[in-house]
Amino acid sequence: MELKQYQRDVLKEVGRFARTYAMTRDAATAYGIFMNAIGLTPGKDGIERYRDDLGGVPKVCVKVPTGGGKTFIGACAIDVLSDALPSHDEVVVWLVPRREILVQTLRNFRNPEHFLRMRLDRDFAGRVEVLDKEDGLRGRSFSAATVGDQLTLFVLSYDSFKNKDGRRAYAENSSLAGLTAYQQDVGTAVDVEGADDTALISALAGTNPIVIVDESHHAGSKLSLDMLRNLNPRFVLELTATPGKGANVIAQATARQLKREEMVKLPVVVYRRPDKRTTISDAVMLQRRLEAIAEQDEARTGRYIRPIVLFQAERRGAEGAETYQKLKEKLVEGGIPEEQIAVRTGDVDEIGGSDLMSRACPIRFIITVEALAEGWDCPFAYVLATVANKSSQVSVEQIVGRVLRQPYAVRAGARSLNIAYVLTASADFDATLEQVVRGLNGVGFSQEDVASVDTEPTAVQGRIDFSAPDVEGGGTASTGDGEDDLNLDGFDLRVSGDGSGFRTDGGASSIDEFLAESGSVEERFEHEVDSENASSFLLNGLGGGSNVYRMREAVAESASALAVSQFMIRVDGGLFTDDETWKPLDREDLLVEFKLSRCGIDCVSINPLTFSEARKIDLADDVDVYRIRQLDLIERNNMTMLFATMTDEGKRDSLKSAVLDAMSGQFKNTYGRSQLAQYIGRVVDDMDMPVVEACYESAGDVARAVVDAVRGLADDFCEVCFGKLLSRGDVRLEPEYRFPESVVQSNPMTSYDKGLYEAEDGRVDGLERRMVDLLANSQRVKWWHRVVERKAGEFSINGFINHYPDFLALRNDGVLMAIETKGEHLGEDAKRKLRLGTRWADMAGAGFQYFMVFEREAPDADNAFTLAEFGSEILG
């Protein structure tokens, strides 16, 4: 098997890092040099610093999506690492997470005709020995003579040194006494804590092995790190599709590279059906259509393909009777030969040792729940059909990756054999699509690799169509009684004698239309892939910075060319020049002349009857946020007793002090501690003595009332000041803001189409999520961006308040929309935002618009719309 270009690129980076480390002998230093060479700086722009888990031993990660040949890359990396870091003992420890993968990996590396073993034989001139744990414990082919004369590859599970059975590897072992004695003589022996000098773990540690950690996202526990340290590795290479937090990612492949190299079926086409009966019927018909297409393709290419459907059923239904076994019985009753159906769950394995890719294998339908995870590998799997009840959600996240591998890693002649299919009868189609995307994220792919298909070609505009109607029903699915039952009575799935295909209520025509449209989707997807720069090396994910997301290539040009208007203020050039300069306006510029001493206290609303019972106010030093907890009974009693002994003046002074202390440091810095103390003094002095006494146990509530009043006064002042500066020409609007090329997302969301960045901020709910849905599926929207308030680099309408609109969206006509979403209540804060947003849009010109969008009822004001009105009038 020849290396694909992306695999060669990944190995090149592995070798570059290993050689850099060989020169520096310091993993962190090598990491910094390595990253700097590709324009990245650890510790900046979301690129994490090197994480040293192993006391200086290099541990780096390669990120490759499922289906991209991680194991082959790892096998090839052994020679690369051995050249860069030579050793007398060529020993490699290959770690896998589970027994199923262990058995498969051992079988492949031991098979002289398998491409993995052939690669090792080529790189090491046939001097290769593949051992398992039992071989090591017996000392078979693991001695002082063999480790210096061959490549010794140990394939072990993560648990080999961790569980009770793993303790055997720490025990005295006479079979290894010769090797460990040799290591003592030459000075390479390692004292492993808790292990005998002759133990297997000690012998392995003495060889200073290269360690390959397959599916490394499973190996982040303290026990796993302790095991790695005990192995005394000279280099650790992690292989995974989904690096964990803190992984030192030095190289990666992308899903588009895999598609270009014909390794995977993409896109994944998600197809909604109105009920489970239709889902099952269509899945069977789709399998047979695909198999017929595959037979025609084989006549041209000589490659045999037998498409397989994965039915994802529930373990049991609402009445405990609906199980995967019942689904099998119904399929057999419907006319599918029993030998074509196999159940594979955690409890049942009817696949066994069957070679699913053999022409002699009859299996075409596999029923599972969630048991098919890493290690289950059959490129013939094309269709995932979920038949969960409408009232429940069966997660597809753990199984969707099983339909991605391309048979023979070669593109088929028919487009319909180059994509994967998901059929679902879920009542919540949006949730199912998000599950599909999350499942793809879990194997290294993204929402860009998903498409939602309707029978109408015009419905497929983006990757995911959340508003698509049911394919045959033209609207939402029925929610009548009994639809959750698996009712296949009278269901005839047998092939008809006239050659037309199926006796299933005319559904075959919809499958033909579906396949035709799916082929069009694949064609467009292939064109997008081919149009990308084949040599591009995306930075997203490198350096553990998996939270760094770049602009999507399809819209980067339009966003990069856009300069968004912001308010600028005139400032003096300074003491030694008469020149003036302009800088972005900050609200602090308007607060310079704000004096609380000039403000009345009438706006402070204090009513002790509305206060909650006594609380203690804990405030973070740097944020204006209250963290309140109940005072315990002893604290309250002590406080009350102390307060009762004070004079009236003392009680007032104590309340003033308590109110000021309850305010955050940030708030006091903004408005001045002295000004606030004087203002609070006036408020408290204006109280009657019974009110003072009632307020003392609720100083936090008084502080909140004062804070709200001061903010309102400051907002009023800034708005007036802002208007005056505009009138004088000291504030003006300029095209100043530009979108950054990449953003850091701690809560990435990739399940919606048309985002400006590869991931947008996922902290959306309720009305905000419905707005995302609307923007992602509007034909008038080119891209949208979720604005995170007060986040560095984000856009704000920087007027008399710093207003961060919830969304920015560019329409196809070139108009940038700033969109703020609000509930039903138009409070004073919302009114200020609406006034500022409207003024900004009016001054910015025809290329900018501002909207405040309400859920159900909008006020009678310019630029205020309900969500329905916004969708129909602005985006319709």
Side-chain angles (χ1 to χ4, degrees), residues 178-489:
L179 173 58
T180 55
Y182 169 76
Q183 291 171 346
Q184 292 280 358
D185 291 341
V186 299
T188 61
V190 175
D191 183 17
V192 178
E193 183 178 358
D196 187 84
D197 291 344
T198 62
L200 174 59
I201 187 71
S202 300
L204 284 171
T207 66
N208 194 209
I210 292 170
V211 176
I212 310 289
V213 186
D214 198 4
E215 305 295 353
S216 60
H217 54 283
H218 290 299
S221 68
K222 181 180 182 300
L223 284 175
S224 296
L225 290 175
D226 288 343
M227 176 191 64
L228 287 177
R229 294 186 188 102
N230 288 339
L231 284 171
N232 183 38
R234 69 178 185 271
F235 196 100
V236 176
L237 180 65
E238 297 181 323
L239 308 173
T240 182
T242 53
K245 184 174 178 57
N248 303 310
V249 182
I250 60 168
Q252 69 169 340
T254 67
R256 298 304 177 92
Q257 288 173 315
L258 268 60
K259 175 70 174 179
R260 187 182 296 114
E261 296 283 3
E262 305 178 1
M263 296 290 286
V264 291
K265 312 182 193 94
L266 287 179
V268 176
V269 185
V270 185
Y271 187 56
R272 176 170 54 182
R273 306 306 294 126
D275 51 52
K276 289 187 292 184
R277 184 184 181 101
T278 310
T279 301
I280 295 169
S281 169
D282 283 358
V284 173
M285 285 191 290
L286 180 56
Q287 189 279 331
R288 288 173 173 161
R289 283 284 192 264
L290 289 174
E291 186 165 358
I293 293 170
E295 290 174 356
Q296 297 172 0
D297 196 61
E298 183 184 5
R300 296 189 299 269
T301 66
R303 291 187 293 270
Y304 170 70
I305 296 176
R306 185 184 68 263
I308 292 174
V309 173
L310 302 181
F311 280 114
Q312 187 181 28
E314 292 184 90
R315 190 165 297 281
R316 64 182 72 256
E319 299 178 356
E322 183 179 324
T323 64
Y324 45 81
Q325 192 60 43
K326 181 180 178 182
L327 175 57
K328 179 176 180 179
E329 293 170 359
K330 291 294 185 180
L331 291 174
V332 173
E333 290 176 11
I336 296 179
E338 185 171 1
E339 65 271 15
Q340 293 186 7
I341 310 169
V343 174
R344 176 67 169 88
T345 70
D347 305 320
V348 181
D349 183 4
E350 295 179 355
I351 298 176
S354 301
D355 181 1
L356 293 173
M357 295 185 68
S358 169
R359 191 183 296 270
C361 180
I363 296 175
R364 288 162 171 79
F365 305 94
I366 296 174
I367 303 173
T368 186
V369 181
E370 295 175 12
L372 301 177
E374 296 139 342
W376 191 91
D377 183 11
C378 181
F380 283 179
Y382 270 84
V383 182
L384 170 60
T386 68
V387 288
N389 283 338
K390 291 292 182 96
S391 57
S392 65
Q393 265 189 17
V394 173
S395 172
V396 301
E397 294 177 45
Q398 299 302 315
I399 192 173
V400 67
R402 300 305 102 203
V403 296
L404 294 179
R405 295 181 187 272
Q406 181 75 31
Y408 311 107
V410 176
R411 179 177 175 79
R415 291 191 179 279
S416 53
L417 296 176
N418 296 316
I419 53 182
Y421 305 84
V422 176
L423 276 62
T424 176
S426 171
D428 192 342
F429 190 50
D430 297 5
T432 300
L433 283 168
E434 288 196 59
Q435 286 185 16
V436 171
V437 172
R438 286 198 300 269
L440 289 171
N441 293 160
V443 291
F445 296 83
S446 73
Q447 68 97 10
E448 291 293 312
D449 308 313
V450 182
S452 172
V453 176
D454 202 339
T455 53
E456 295 297 328
T458 56
V460 186
Q461 298 295 333
R463 286 285 173 263
I464 300 179
D465 181 5
F466 285 98
S467 60
D470 291 324
V471 175
E472 291 184 338
T476 57
S478 168
T479 56
D481 294 338
E483 69 175 356
D484 274 351
D485 294 333
L486 186 59
N487 182 11
L488 301 182
D489 294 340

Side-chain angles (χ1 to χ4, degrees), residues 575-591:
L575 183 63
F576 302 104
T577 177
D578 293 330
D579 295 339
E580 62 182 28
T581 60
W582 292 81
K583 75 175 189 67
L585 173 67
D586 190 279
R587 192 168 182 269
E588 299 295 325
D589 298 319
L590 305 177
L591 285 172

Side-chain angles (χ1 to χ4, degrees), residues 494-737:
R494 290 168 294 184
V495 178
S496 64
D498 61 5
S500 61
F502 315 94
R503 300 189 184 109
T504 44
D505 307 325
S509 61
S510 68
I511 294 297
D512 289 336
E513 294 171 0
F514 171 43
L515 286 172
E517 181 57 36
S518 298
S520 299
V521 171
E522 200 270 344
E523 183 177 10
R524 290 195 293 271
F525 187 89
E526 183 187 16
H527 176 73
E528 292 175 9
V529 170
D530 290 341
S531 66
E532 291 179 356
N533 183 359
S535 63
S536 64
F537 200 73
L538 299 182
L539 303 183
N540 171 30
L542 291 187
S546 55
N547 56 344
V548 180
Y549 297 89
R550 300 179 69 84
M551 282 185 187
R552 290 191 301 112
E553 188 171 335
V555 297
E557 183 177 355
S558 63
S560 299
L562 185 61
V564 186
S565 296
Q566 283 191 303
F567 290 104
M568 308 291 288
I569 186 170
R570 188 201 314 267
V571 294
D572 292 334
L575 183 63
F576 302 104
T577 177
D578 293 330
D579 295 339
E580 62 182 28
T581 60
W582 292 81
K583 75 175 189 67
L585 173 67
D586 190 279
R587 192 168 182 269
E588 299 295 325
D589 298 319
L590 305 177
L591 285 172
V592 172
E593 300 300 325
F594 177 63
K595 305 296 181 185
L596 275 172
S597 58
R598 302 172 186 170
C599 300
I601 61 172
D602 295 343
C603 56
V604 181
S605 178
I606 295 176
N607 182 358
L609 296 178
T610 65
F611 290 167
S612 56
E613 56 185 290
R615 314 238 174 204
K616 176 179 286 185
I617 313 297
D618 294 322
L619 289 162
D621 291 337
D622 57 346
V623 292
D624 190 17
V625 178
Y626 293 100
R627 293 202 297 269
I628 305 172
R629 68 175 178 84
Q630 294 280 96
L631 284 173
D632 62 43
L633 184 60
I634 295 176
E635 285 180 307
R636 292 178 62 183
N637 289 338
N638 289 341
M639 186 178 68
T640 302
M641 290 173 59
L642 179 62
F643 189 73
T645 63
M646 296 179 181
T647 64
D648 288 354
E649 185 178 356
K651 290 177 180 179
R652 290 186 187 276
D653 289 343
S654 294
L655 179 57
K656 295 173 187 177
S657 177
V659 171
L660 183 62
D661 288 345
M663 295 176 178
S664 73
Q666 178 183 350
F667 188 80
K668 285 181 279 195
N669 289 335
T670 299
Y671 296 100
R673 184 183 183 92
S674 176
Q675 283 202 81
L676 287 170
Q678 293 174 18
Y679 190 78
I680 294 169
R682 286 195 284 145
V683 171
V684 174
D685 288 341
D686 191 56
M687 294 179 181
D688 295 332
M689 203 60 223
V691 176
V692 172
E693 293 173 345
C695 286
Y696 186 71
E697 290 190 357
S698 300
D701 291 298
V702 178
R704 185 178 294 104
V706 173
V707 165
D708 290 343
V710 170
R711 282 177 173 159
L713 291 168
D715 288 342
D716 289 340
F717 176 85
C718 288
E719 187 166 2
V720 172
C721 181
F722 177 75
K724 291 179 179 178
L725 291 173
L726 278 174
S727 299
R728 295 204 309 254
D730 290 330
V731 167
R732 66 189 185 192
L733 206 60
E734 295 286 350
E736 181 68 18
Y737 175 83

